[in-house]
């Protein structure tokens, strides 16, 4: 990866994120982009990757790597209309290799797009009225929103604010429209004002999310900026604002670590944009632009202190934080099956293992969801497909009269409406191999085997029905938010993981290292003996994550104290 100085120089010299992308795209000799353009492409929502399964073979054949592109949508709160789903499904079928992939930030990723099809793919995504601007890069990323199907009016109010904020925090450059959508070249091309971001954008990625208690499905304490919705009798009263969360770390580098967001205080809903803008611009101005690995907001707050940071945010926003309002999270997972909404419409959450929507022999997930979206598109005004931050899908606002028809399609296509065992219901895995260039071990492809093995152990100890959050990441960057898993495997090398234990199930306590660089046998042996103790010694209703901390097996790492109701 380019070092920080060169990334900063590149941004400054990029003519507002244009670089030489047009020239790179036009070059027929290679399937890759020029190096600087690979970095700039991220701000347009795409990554250059290569198929790592083919790397060695292509090297032997003296071929360049199998270059291909991942594309990520900007879909605030993961909300799609059925027509948009159908549009994205068409993009996957036509241009991508492994179907659609629901991400842990409620976006869709497409993998395996080749260079000459990048532009048609982005055009097809935009034709579905979805863009990919700022889905990656040193800018505000896709804004997450708790899905909470029980609370549709509150969800709608919070989602509207989140979508408006996502729009407000977009870069102002027209580069995206010029390069991908054949937009008109304006006189000031390359010099447009970027009032929020300036010449060098942010020091690092920046993530914003809105949680709707009692569910912490977005893991609000893992966000750079989090808004916890406070409601009274179903009406939005305001938000408790938290800042400085993040998961990423580097193995063996104590200067980097996961961190939970800290409380700034309560604000009224009308101050959301001012406060978000203030947090983002303080980070823009105070963030570390020398050491890229220390450039996230979590380190900025640590360097300057929470009080100084809060005071500067208040000054810039012209808003004073009130003491936090009480709220309570009960868990950070999803709930499956049908749930009734306040207005009589229904919501169905389906389990999509690792968020991968592709057809395979057993479950024809992609064609099943296509059929459901087509039904709703034709017959249900206001129906939505909501991507959840746990990589699942909620089919929302279904009129009661269509329930049987949806159920029939679910059964016909073998879609998963209950998620199986509690372990399988909640487990998360990042993409990792073969596309992720940073992966050190398998994650998504290992998940089914890991679940089967751990479920077998749980069975042995009579624990199969005990809820348990497992999260697997192929490297310490933490894309599946593993440091908030009761059990987590963090990739270290092929087949080897750090076993982390002891987060809670509400996303309020980080786990701690239990075994380093362990293989599957060592991990399963450790879990076997811990499950035996858990089965014998747990208190009534005690979760595994809480038990291992109480029993002294895992150190209680950082915990946030929320103002409980
Ligand atoms: Fe991530 C980098 C995938 C959510 C922390 N992440 C990557 C890249 C782009 C690899 C790269 O830089 O070359 C991965 C692409 C893999 C692929 O082949 O598709 C990747 N991240 C993902 C997704 C798809 C994981 C998933 O299985 O769903 C998620 C896409 C989110 C989205 O839609 O925007 C994803 N990544 C996260 C999260 C979770 C979250 O945001 O809630 C985190 C932890 C929270 C955080 O940011 O602290 C996360 N990703 C990272 C990091 C570490 C950042 C850091 O502060 O150190 C990297 C590496 C980096 O930025 O240098 C990274
Ligand atoms: Fe890739 Fe690591 Fe993120 Fe997994 S955690 S997707 S391996 S960067």
């Amino acid at each position: 990866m380019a070092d920080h100085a060169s990334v900063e120089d590149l941004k400054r010299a990029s003519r507002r994120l244009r670089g030489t992308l047009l020239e790179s795209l036009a070059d027929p000799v290679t399937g890759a982009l020029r190096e600087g353009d690979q970095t700039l492409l991220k701000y347009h929502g795409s990554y250059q990757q290569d198929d790592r399964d083919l790397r060695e073979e292509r090297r032997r054949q003296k071929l360049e790597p199998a270059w291909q592109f991942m594309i990520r949508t900007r879909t605030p709160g993961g909300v799609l209309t059925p027509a948009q789903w159908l549009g994205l499904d068409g993009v996957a079928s036509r241009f991508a290799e492994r179907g659609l992939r629901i991400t842990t930030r409620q976006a869709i990723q497409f993998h395996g797009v080749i260079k000459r099809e990048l532009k048609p793919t982005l055009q097809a995504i935009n034709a579905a009225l979805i863009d990919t601007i700022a889905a990656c890069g040193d800018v505000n990323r896709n804004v997450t929103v708790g899905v909470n199907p029980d609370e549709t009016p509150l969800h709608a109010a919070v989602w509207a604010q989140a979508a408006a904020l996502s729009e407000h925090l977009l870069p102002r450059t027209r580069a995206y429209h010029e390069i991908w959508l054949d937009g008109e070249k304006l006189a000031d091309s390359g010099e447009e004002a970027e009032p929020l971001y300036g010449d060098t954008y942010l020091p690092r990625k920046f993530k914003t999310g809105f949680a709707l208690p009692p569910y912490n499905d977005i893991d609000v304490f893992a966000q750079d900026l989090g808004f916890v919705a406070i409601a009274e009798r179903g009406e939005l009263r305001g938000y408790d604002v938290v800042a400085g969360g993040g998961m990423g770390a580097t193995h063996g580098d104590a200067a980097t670590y996961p961190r939970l967001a800290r409380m700034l205080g309560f604000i009224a809903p009308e101050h959301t944009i001012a406060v978000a803008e203030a947090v983002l611009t303080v980070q823009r101005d105070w963030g570390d632009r020398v050491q890229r690995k220390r450039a996230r907001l979590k380190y900025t707050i640590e360097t300057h202190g929470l009080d100084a940071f809060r005071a500067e945010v208040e000054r810039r926003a012209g808003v004073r934080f009130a003491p936090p309002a009480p709220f309570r999270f009960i868990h950070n997972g999803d709930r499956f099956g049908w749930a009734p909404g306040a207005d009589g419409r229904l919501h169905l959450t389906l389990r999509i293992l690792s968020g991968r929507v592709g057809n395979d022999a057993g479950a024809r997930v992609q064609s099943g969801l296509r059929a459901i979206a087509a039904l709703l598109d034709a017959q249900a005004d206001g129906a939505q497909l909501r991507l959840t931050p746990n990589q699942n899908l909620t089919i929302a606002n279904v009129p009661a009269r269509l329930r049987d028809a949806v159920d029939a399609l679910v059964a016909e296509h073998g879609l998963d409406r209950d998620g199986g065992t509690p372990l399988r219901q909640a487990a998360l895995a990042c993409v990792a191999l073969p596309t992720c260039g940073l992966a050190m071990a398998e994650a998504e492809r290992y998940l089914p085997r890991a679940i089967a093995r751990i479920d077998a152990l749980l069975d042995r100890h009579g624990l199969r029905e005990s809820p348990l959050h497992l999260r697997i990441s192929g490297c310490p960057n933490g894309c599946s938010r593993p440091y908030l898993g009761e059990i987590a495997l963090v990739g270290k090398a092929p087949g080897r993981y750090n076993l982390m234990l002891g987060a809670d199930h509400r996303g309020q306590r980080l786990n701690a290292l239990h075994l380093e660089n362990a293989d599957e046998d060592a991990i399963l042996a450790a879990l076997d003996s811990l499950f035996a103790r858990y089965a014998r010694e747990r208190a009534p209703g005690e979760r595994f994550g809480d038990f291992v901390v109480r029993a002294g097996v895992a150190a209680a790492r950082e915990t946030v104290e929320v103002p409980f109701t």
Side-chain angles (χ1 to χ4, degrees), residues 429-433 436-441 443 472-480 482:
C430 71
V431 178
L433 293 159
C436 178
L438 306 178
M440 300 169 173
I472 305 182
S473 274
C475 84
N477 285 315
C479 299
S480 57

Side-chain angles (χ1 to χ4, degrees), residues 436-511:
C436 178
L438 306 178
M440 300 169 173
E442 297 280 357
E444 180 181 331
R445 295 196 295 197
Y446 179 50
L447 185 67
R449 178 183 163 104
I451 291 173
R453 296 270 154 129
I454 298 173
D455 259 342
L457 289 181
L458 289 167
D459 238 355
R460 219 163 99 177
H461 299 287
L463 294 168
R464 199 178 176 85
E465 295 313 317
S466 304
L468 186 52
H469 287 184
L470 165 72
R471 294 181 171 188
I472 305 182
S473 274
C475 84
N477 285 315
C479 299
S480 57
R481 299 186 289 270
Y483 310 108
L484 288 166
E486 293 180 280
I487 299 178
L489 304 182
V490 176
K492 193 92 205 266
R496 303 188 85 90
Y497 298 86
N498 283 354
L499 172 63
M500 319 282 301
L501 297 177
D504 71 341
H505 56 285
R506 294 168 305 177
Q508 295 177 188
R509 183 175 67 233
L510 293 176
N511 54 22

Side-chain angles (χ1 to χ4, degrees), residues 1 42 47-49 70 72-73 75 98 101-111 135-136 141-142 144 204-205 207 218-219 222-224 245-250 256 292-293 296 298-299 354 356 389 391 429-439 444 475-482:
M1 197 220 300
K42 297 179 187 179
Y47 267 70
Q48 182 176 311
Q49 303 182 318
M70 174 271 272
R72 187 184 284 166
T73 61
T75 31
R98 293 160 71 207
R101 174 61 155 66
I102 301 173
T103 74
T104 52
R105 292 195 70 75
Q106 299 177 293
I108 291 288
Q109 277 189 188
F110 302 97
H111 290 104
C136 320
R141 302 292 191 88
N142 196 40
T144 55
R204 200 72 166 82
K205 56 175 66 164
K207 297 182 172 179
I218 69 155
D219 276 326
Q223 311 287 324
D224 291 280
M247 295 278 102
T250 306
T256 66
R292 197 166 164 79
K293 65 173 187 185
R296 289 294 290 271
K298 60 185 173 183
Y299 304 118
S354 295
R356 184 67 68 181
Q391 303 171 325
C430 71
V431 178
L433 293 159
T435 52
C436 178
L438 306 178
E444 180 181 331
C475 84
N477 285 315
C479 299
S480 57
R481 299 186 289 270

Side-chain angles (χ1 to χ4, degrees), residues 154 157-158 161-162 210 227 229-231 235-241 266-276 319:
L154 185 65
V158 173
Q161 285 217 297
F210 289 71
F227 293 94
I230 305 295
E235 294 279 313
L236 181 64
R237 227 188 89 214
Y239 298 102
D240 281 343
V241 183
F266 177 82
I267 59 162
E270 59 271 25
H271 294 139
T272 307
I273 287 196
V275 166
V319 170

Side-chain angles (χ1 to χ4, degrees), residues 319-359:
V319 170
R320 276 196 83 77
F321 289 106
F327 63 88
R328 185 181 180 83
F329 287 131
I330 53 174
H331 65 73
N332 58 356
D334 289 341
R335 294 150 298 148
F336 298 98
W338 286 104
D343 59 1
R345 289 188 291 181
L346 302 168
H347 315 283
L348 172 64
T349 301
L350 297 169
R351 176 70 172 129
I352 315 279
L353 201 62
S354 295
R356 184 67 68 181
V357 178
N359 280 345

Side-chain angles (χ1 to χ4, degrees), residues 95-136:
F95 299 108
E97 253 175 14
R98 293 160 71 207
L100 306 99
R101 174 61 155 66
I102 301 173
T103 74
T104 52
R105 292 195 70 75
Q106 299 177 293
I108 291 288
Q109 277 189 188
F110 302 97
H111 290 104
V113 176
I114 55 172
K115 186 170 91 171
R116 69 167 182 281
E117 292 192 334
L118 247 184
K119 187 165 167 175
T121 310
L122 285 164
Q123 291 185 333
I125 293 171
N126 278 268
L129 304 182
I130 289 168
D131 65 58
T132 64
I133 308 174
C136 320

